[in-house]
Each structure stands twice: as C-alpha cells, then as structure tokens.
Amino acid sequence: MDMTRAEVRQKIDGWFAQNYDNMLADLKKLIAINSVKTEEKPGAPYGTASREVLDVAAQMLQERGFDVDFFEDIVITSDMGMPPVLLGILAHLDIVDAGEGWDTDPFDMTVKDGKILGRGVIDNKGPAVASMYAMYCIKELFPQLKSGLRLILGSGEETGFDDITRYLAKNETPPNVFSPDAEFPVVNTEKGRFAPFFSASWEKDTALPRIISVAGGKTMNIVPHRATAEIEGFTLSEAEGFCKDYSAKTGAEISAVEQGGKLTITSLGKAAHASTPQLGNNAQTALVEMLAAMPFAKSQSFTYLQALNRLFSHGDCNGKALGIAMEDEISGKLTVNFGVLSFSEQDFTANFDSRTPACADSVDIKGITIAALEKENIQVTEAKLSHCHHTPGDSPFVKTLLSVYEEYTGGKGECLITGGQTYVHNIEGGVVFGCGFPGNDYHAHGANEYMTEEQLLVSAKIFTQVILDMCG
C-alpha cells in the first residue's frame, strides 16, 4: 500500500536516527585523509592521498552493497535504481591545505557543542557522506526506484575540475544534476572566474635599505592568512614603528624580528574563500602596503613592489585599481583576491582570482587587466577565463529542490548567487543544493572549518527525499 508523504518522512527520520553514529564514523575516516592534490604516482594521477580517499569511499559504498566504478583513478561513480539515470549528485573528496590557526587537529574530526570540525567537513566530505547515506537509506527502505541515480565523487575540484571535465567528456551527463558544494536553498547562478598569472624580472640591486624577498599565499582561491618579507638596511626599532602603524591601518598583525643582521617581517590576517574576499583579511596585501610606504632605496625591485600595491591595494576586493570593478542584478559584484606572490631579489611571480558577474561576459576583462599590468611593465603569462553559469529558477528540477528544502527546514525556498564555482558550472541545468544554511560562515578554506550535526543530518534527509521525488 502506498505511504503518505508524512509516513515516508517518518520512516526516513527513524532510519537516520539509527544510522547517524555510523555516518559520523564514516565521515571521520574521510577527514583523516589529507587529500590535497600532490604529484602524480602510478595509479594515482593526483597523488597517493587523493587516490586513497577515493578507495576509502568506494569501500564504504561496496560494504553497503553498491557497485563502484573507477574512472581514470580520479573519479568514482555508483548507480542505483532502474535505467535511465535521471538524477546525478556530484561531490568532491579533495581538500585545500589545512593552513594554520586551528583549535583542533584538522585531520582528527572533532564533535563539540553540536559542531563537527575538520578540514573538508563542509567542503565537501560531509556533503558527500550525506549523499552516500541518502542512497543507503533508500536501498533499505525504498529499493524500487523507477529511474536511476548516479553518485559521482571526484578528487580534483579544488584544483580546477579537470577530473569531472574528463569524466563528462567520456560519459553521458544525467539530465538533472546537483552538487552539495555551497548553500541551501538552491544556488542557480555561479559567477565566472578570471585567473591571470603575471610576472616581472630585473637586475639585482644591493643598495640599502632593500627588500630581499616577499612570500605570500600559496593558493589563488584562498585569501592569504600569512605573508612574510625579508629586508635589510632598517633597524629593528624603525621597522617596529611601521609594523605598529600598519597593523592599526590594515587590521593585520604585523611584526618584525632581527636575524643575522636582517629583518623578517610577518603579517597575519584572516583566511577566506576567494569568492568572498571581503570576509577575510589579506595578509599579503597588508604587508605589501606597509613595505611600499617604507623608505627603501630607489630600485627596480622597489618600483615593482609599489606597482603591486597600487594595483592590489589592501581592502580593494572589487578590482577598482585594475579598472574591472562591475556588478549586475543577476550575479552581483565582481570580486578580486590577490592570492599568490613570490617576490625575490631579481623577479616576482603572482596571480589573482577574480569571480566575475554575468555582465563581465560582454566586456574584454582580460584586455583591460593586461593593459593595466603592462602599464607597470608587468607581463601576463597566462589568463584563465570562464563565464557565468545560470540555470533558470523556474525549471521543474529547481522547483522540486526548493519544495523539499521548505518541507524539511521550514525555511523559504529561493535561488541564490555564489562567487564560487562547482562541478556543475558547465553543466546545462545544473545547480548547487546544500549543504550550508543561509547566513552562516562555516570557515571553508579557513581554520576551524565545520558543519553542525543538525546540518549533516537534515542534509542527508533532504537528499533522500529528493532522490525519491525525482526517481521514486
């Protein structure tokens, strides 16, 4: 006999009450793996840890009776239900560097005061586990699906989506796809991305005072939380005066120590995702601003550093100095994160990460940026550019997702914009669905990344209901 929707929900609630501890235990296993992409190894194109996390997830699925297929050792998939596959869920198991500033071990998942802490717990291992457990729930309670579901788990999302790009080039894309890699209710608009790499070189100059090196962020899609510089020709007390003034001006913690007649300057800010640079405090731009104000000897080196300060002034998160600031009603403001800088005695290399609104698609943003950099004699070596992704909010698929969200949370179902890009960015009709709740900062890409226990549990139940509504 057919069950009412209330009876279906009651069964889902009961199943997750019995299986929640197992869900936490599986998530803990995945969090323990430092699955940052590293150098290629045999059978592990993205490094041994990236392959290991896929193996562990595959084993979890297989222990629950699911078949798992490996694609080129970078993606795993698992299907359930009758063909054809009508719904796809895309999540990723790779992470960004843990960084510093954690109150707990980022690879030893901790549950405290209703929060689950660990690197990758919200981005994106927790949502992946929620998706897996939605499948387990359906297999046990509602096994007769009329259409198919495919779970697709990748290992290269944080480094450019090459894994999913390769997978989708050789496999049919399900007609309805969501990725639980941002926020509820539904993210139907993802900004474009513009990521130029640029550099300059010069003859070494030893006139004092001088800058020996500046080292900033390591990853363009994270607001640098730490940056350092080595200088000589100033006394410690002179440098400390500048540190005090520019700590107050920038909000970063800037300090100096003397080592072997040279000074090491350290700037500490706040990490954030590159799509929301205004939520962080860029330690790199704070340090460059201070150095640019100090009376170093005239040199090409110092000239270039001052140019970088003009182009990426501290607090300019919208590209005003570059001449690319813009916004529209569909996708909001353009953002800029000056993410990476490696500055030596004879050259520098750098890049920035810009998330671009729909209106940027009709503007020569690359040409404007190249002109601004070349005006300072800085050479652009590479400039990756992708356009804005938008799925209409009135599609039947989006309406289903919004309806289930409202049913399980009581919140208002509406479509959102993100500056982040996910696996669905180039998938027609694809959207993001979960797992963050509106108005919360879960510290993705930063220290003390977390998701709540309630959030993990409700997300898994929502995914279960969506699978039933789409495929049941």
Side-chain angles (χ1 to χ4, degrees):
M1 186 171 73
D2 289 340
M3 288 183 285
T4 66
R5 197 163 181 91
E7 289 171 333
V8 169
R9 181 167 179 179
Q10 186 176 22
K11 289 179 73 70
I12 292 172
D13 287 342
W15 188 91
F16 277 100
Q18 293 178 353
N19 287 271
Y20 181 64
D21 288 344
N22 292 331
M23 184 159 57
L24 277 184
D26 281 350
L27 179 54
K28 187 178 181 70
K29 293 177 185 176
L30 295 178
I31 296 296
I33 303 169
N34 184 6
S35 49
V36 173
K37 181 179 178 181
T38 57
E39 68 276 6
E40 181 177 359
K41 299 289 184 181
Y46 297 160
T48 55
S50 295
R51 175 57 194 264
E52 180 188 1
V53 77
L54 292 178
D55 287 337
V56 171
Q59 184 179 7
M60 291 175 183
L61 287 159
Q62 290 163 345
E63 288 174 349
R64 292 280 185 157
F66 289 89
D67 293 330
V68 177
D69 292 322
F70 275 81
F71 173 80
E72 296 183 359
D73 299 313
I74 55 176
V75 171
I76 61 172
T77 63
S78 185
D79 290 3
M80 71 181 304
M82 299 294 292
V85 173
L86 186 62
L87 175 65
I89 302 177
L90 278 69
H92 67 89
L93 298 174
D94 61 313
I95 58 173
V96 298
D97 287 325
E100 301 174 356
W102 286 76
D103 297 327
T104 61
D105 183 341
F107 301 109
D108 184 9
M109 192 186 85
T110 303
V111 181
K112 183 178 181 181
D113 299 328
K115 290 183 177 181
I116 311 167
L117 293 103
R119 172 55 88 223
V121 70
I122 186 67
D123 187 18
N124 193 223
K125 293 177 179 180
V129 169
S131 304
M132 293 163 68
Y133 270 76
M135 295 173 64
Y136 303 163
C137 177
I138 288 173
K139 184 175 186 292
E140 293 187 20
L141 300 183
F142 316 101
Q144 303 302 318
L145 292 184
K146 297 177 182 178
S147 301
L149 162 76
R150 177 166 298 156
L151 177 66
I152 306 171
L153 300 177
S155 59
E157 193 273 348
E158 298 290 3
T159 51
F161 309 170
D162 181 60
D163 53 341
I164 291 300
T165 300
R166 287 160 60 179
Y167 172 80
L168 294 179
K170 296 182 179 180
N171 295 273
E172 187 174 354
T173 305
N176 303 283
V177 176
F178 76 79
S179 179
D181 197 14
E183 290 185 81
F184 288 119
V186 167
V187 177
N188 70 324
T189 302
E190 295 184 356
K191 291 182 180 179
R193 190 178 187 190
F194 178 46
F197 293 72
F198 46 97
S199 62
S201 60
W202 55 87
E203 294 292 328
K204 180 178 177 180
D205 193 326
T206 59
L208 298 179
R210 72 185 186 108
I211 298 168
I212 300 171
S213 67
V214 183
K218 297 179 181 179
T219 306
M220 70 164 62
N221 65 348
I222 302 176
V223 175
H225 76 284
R226 178 186 176 90
T228 60
E230 187 177 20
I231 65 175
E232 64 177 338
F234 288 100
T235 66
L236 179 59
S237 61
E238 289 172 332
E240 286 177 333
F242 281 97
C243 291
K244 180 180 179 180
D245 291 344
Y246 279 84
S247 292
K249 183 178 180 181
T250 65
E253 297 180 18
I254 308 176
S255 59
V257 295
E258 187 171 4
Q259 296 176 327
K262 300 173 183 177
L263 300 178
T264 298
I265 313 294
T266 301
S267 173
L268 300 177
K270 179 184 176 183
H273 194 283
S275 64
T276 53
Q278 70 278 7
L279 298 181
N281 189 357
N282 194 316
Q284 179 171 284
T285 55
L287 178 59
V288 169
E289 181 170 313
M290 188 191 86
L291 295 174
M294 296 175 70
F296 287 99
K298 185 177 180 180
S299 67
Q300 282 189 296
S301 171
F302 189 44
T303 297
Y304 276 117
L305 186 122
Q306 290 180 311
L308 291 174
N309 181 55
R310 287 192 295 272
L311 293 167
F312 304 99
S313 59
H314 187 68
D316 179 5
C317 298
N318 303 112
K320 294 178 181 177
L322 286 167
I324 57 174
M326 63 187 76
E327 65 179 301
D328 59 41
E329 292 185 4
I330 292 177
S331 43
K333 292 183 178 181
L334 178 146
T335 61
V336 169
N337 175 51
F338 186 26
V340 177
L341 173 63
S342 178
F343 193 100
S344 73
E345 294 175 290
Q346 292 182 278
D347 61 21
F348 80 81
T349 57
N351 61 52
F352 71 83
D353 185 337
S354 175
R355 306 303 167 102
T356 60
C359 60
D361 295 348
S362 59
V363 175
D364 185 13
I365 189 171
K366 184 185 295 187
I368 295 170
T369 301
I370 289 174
L373 290 168
E374 287 185 345
K375 185 177 179 180
E376 303 288 356
N377 296 315
I378 297 171
Q379 180 68 39
V380 175
T381 55
E382 182 181 358
K384 299 177 180 179
L385 178 65
S386 64
H387 294 313
C388 186
H389 171 77
H390 177 72
T391 294
D394 59 357
S395 73
F397 179 46
V398 171
K399 287 182 177 180
T400 296
L401 299 179
L402 292 175
S403 176
V404 175
Y405 170 79
E406 289 184 341
E407 177 184 355
Y408 275 76
T409 68
K412 180 183 178 181
E414 59 184 349
C415 290
L416 306 174
I417 301 165
T418 182
Q421 292 189 355
T422 70
Y423 278 152
V424 302
H425 193 80
N426 293 313
I427 297 177
E428 184 176 356
V431 296
V432 177
F433 187 55
C435 280
F437 287 113
N440 292 288
D441 177 9
Y442 298 100
H443 307 311
H445 290 203
N448 299 320
E449 177 183 351
Y450 78 95
M451 71 186 305
T452 68
E453 292 188 86
E454 178 187 13
Q455 181 186 0
L456 177 64
L457 195 56
V458 172
S459 296
K461 294 177 182 180
I462 287 173
F463 298 160
T464 303
Q465 188 67 63
V466 167
I467 296 168
L468 287 174
D469 287 353
M470 295 295 298
C471 305

